[in-house]
Amino acid sequence: MRVLVTGGAGYIGSHTVVELLTHGHEVIIIDDLSNSKKEVLNRIQTITQKVPTFYQGQVQDEPFLTQIFTTHSIDAVIHFAGYKAVGESVEKPLKYFENNLLSTIVLLRVMEQFNVHKLVFSSSATVYGTPTKMPLTEEDPIGGTTNPYGATKFMNELIIKDYCVAHPEMAATMLRYFNPIGAHVSGLIGEDPQGIPNNLMPFITQVAIGKRPELNVFGNDYPTRDGTGIRDYIHVVDLALGHVASLETMQQNKGYVVFNLGTGKGTSVLELVAAFEQANGVKIPLRIQPRRSGDIAENYADCTKSKHELGWVATRSLIDACRDSWRWQSKNPKGYNQ
Ligand code: UFG
């Protein structure tokens, strides 16, 4: 397939581009580079020996997007592009609503114009809000999101769902990611956060490299086995392969469909730190801090539906992910800014 990947220079996007190319698909990337670096394109080429076509720009720039659809006969779109910092979204809600919603609306409008009927949307477990039971299945209630970023993921699902009602020819797959970690085994691409990392794994790797003195553990008084928050950490390459599986099963999975992409296994903050230390032989000093506002005690997926309907399961272990995150960080201490 010829696949348009919006946000294809980002962390999950770049790993997905690699897997698409190695599975024989053709890739066209759109990215405004607002949270990514052009260097990632060279790295993708080194890994795959293939050159993805790249356009720098914004998805909501309709003339720009139309030009790309005119130039290339696109079969399917994977829509990653979006702002994703939870804290910033609370400070700047309009920035998030404008960017994350308008891009989807313009994308659907242009897809309609060019008769492109296959879409994979980058959704998140955040759409489940504050869940009351674990593990989470795709049938569990969504909404009740606790920040504008999460609200945009939820609202985008609604927009795409309603679009599918009006367009029965559509195949639209919502992939609800749990917590992606790890990096490509080559150590050439990985997560490259700007400024202080919001997420746990990039914070751990920056402590390991000596960039930060210690890890702040946000709360050890949750009702969990060791008091720290539990999440479902999934290797980013497994996540990327979930996108390939989604595209390749779209004929069967027509209409609007939703899949959780996780491992089905919860891991606490302290367990992840212990796994990282064991995998890499490094010590991570830590300090217990108060809870971070908006955090939930635990969050992990039931992935039965993905297994049966996508034929996909996560196969990489937590130790693999810890080793791969560290390989990326230690080979690229400044990320893509060498
Ligand atoms: N944590 C720390 N210290 C840190 C960072 C995180 O203790 O420096 C803890 C958090 O309190 C939480 C766990 O590590 O218990 C995971 O936190 P992350 O920030 O890595 O991930 P979240 O589960 O909070 O957020 C992720 C995605 C969001 C998404 C959310 C829900 O980053 O995009 O899952 O799906 F919205």
Side-chain angles (χ1 to χ4, degrees), residues 104 108 111-112 116-121 156-174 250 253-258:
T104 304
L108 288 171
M111 285 174 70
E112 180 177 17
V116 177
H117 305 310
K118 293 190 173 86
L119 173 67
V120 176
F121 177 67
N156 267 317
E157 286 199 2
L158 296 182
I159 291 169
I160 297 166
K161 191 175 187 184
D162 282 344
Y163 181 82
C164 287
V165 171
H167 296 83
E169 68 282 9
M170 273 296 286
T173 302
M174 309 298 102
M250 263 189 169
N253 295 318
K254 264 209 142 186
Y256 177 87
V257 288
V258 178

Side-chain angles (χ1 to χ4, degrees), residues 5-69:
V5 182
T6 78
Y11 172 45
I12 306 174
S14 58
H15 286 82
T16 302
V17 167
V18 165
E19 296 310 321
L20 287 169
L21 291 171
T22 51
H23 282 76
H25 298 287
E26 201 181 309
V27 175
I28 295 132
I29 297 174
I30 300 182
D31 202 300
D32 67 0
L33 301 180
S34 61
N35 193 27
S36 55
K37 297 276 163 26
K38 220 174 170 179
E39 171 60 16
V40 77
L41 301 170
N42 298 327
R43 307 289 181 95
I44 290 171
Q45 191 178 337
T46 305
I47 296 169
T48 64
Q49 301 297 312
K50 291 178 183 168
V51 188
T53 307
F54 172 71
Y55 293 95
Q56 183 174 352
Q58 292 205 304
V59 179
Q60 59 267 45
D61 179 346
E62 199 157 344
F64 164 74
L65 195 64
T66 305
Q67 186 56 50
I68 291 167
F69 276 78

Side-chain angles (χ1 to χ4, degrees), residues 214-329:
E214 60 192 7
L215 171 71
N216 299 307
V217 175
F218 298 136
N220 67 348
D221 57 352
Y222 285 105
T224 59
R225 46 187 178 265
D226 61 19
T228 65
I230 288 182
R231 298 290 184 274
D232 186 340
Y233 295 98
I234 173 171
H235 195 296
V236 67
V237 173
D238 281 327
L239 194 64
L241 289 167
H243 294 73
V244 178
S246 299
L247 277 186
E248 292 179 350
T249 54
M250 263 189 169
Q251 289 313 356
Q252 297 97 283
N253 295 318
K254 264 209 142 186
Y256 177 87
V257 288
V258 178
F259 294 108
N260 285 338
L261 294 186
T263 66
K265 192 172 171 292
T267 302
S268 76
V269 175
L270 297 181
E271 287 165 351
L272 186 64
V273 171
F276 189 90
E277 291 181 333
Q278 186 203 324
N280 301 312
V282 292
K283 187 89 195 113
I284 304 296
L286 49 84
R287 188 181 299 268
I288 305 298
Q289 300 283 5
R291 291 182 181 190
R292 184 172 69 176
S293 97
D295 272 356
I296 56 177
E298 61 172 357
N299 202 20
Y300 58 96
D302 180 325
C303 299
T304 314
K305 187 178 175 198
S306 309
K307 183 178 176 186
H308 290 149
E309 294 179 32
L310 291 178
W312 170 93
V313 283
T315 59
R316 287 159 184 78
S317 71
L318 198 63
I319 294 288
D320 294 333
C322 289
R323 212 175 275 142
D324 293 342
S325 284
W326 179 229
R327 187 181 302 107
W328 152 253
Q329 180 74 84

Side-chain angles (χ1 to χ4, degrees), residues 61-110:
D61 179 346
E62 199 157 344
F64 164 74
L65 195 64
T66 305
Q67 186 56 50
I68 291 167
F69 276 78
T70 307
T71 309
H72 304 275
S73 169
I74 309 269
D75 298 308
V77 179
I78 306 182
H79 182 32
F80 291 104
Y83 297 146
K84 60 164 194 171
V86 173
E88 187 194 41
S89 81
V90 176
E91 308 287 320
K92 299 175 182 167
L94 297 184
K95 173 177 171 177
Y96 275 67
F97 287 118
E98 181 173 5
N99 185 67
N100 292 6
L101 300 183
L102 203 54
S103 57
T104 304
I105 293 168
V106 170
L107 176 63
L108 288 171
R109 195 151 62 206
V110 176

Side-chain angles (χ1 to χ4, degrees), residues 181-201:
I181 59 168
H184 190 266
V185 70
S186 63
L188 285 169
I189 59 172
E191 188 167 12
D192 183 22
Q194 311 300 306
I196 302 169
N198 296 308
N199 297 116
L200 182 57
M201 182 55 97

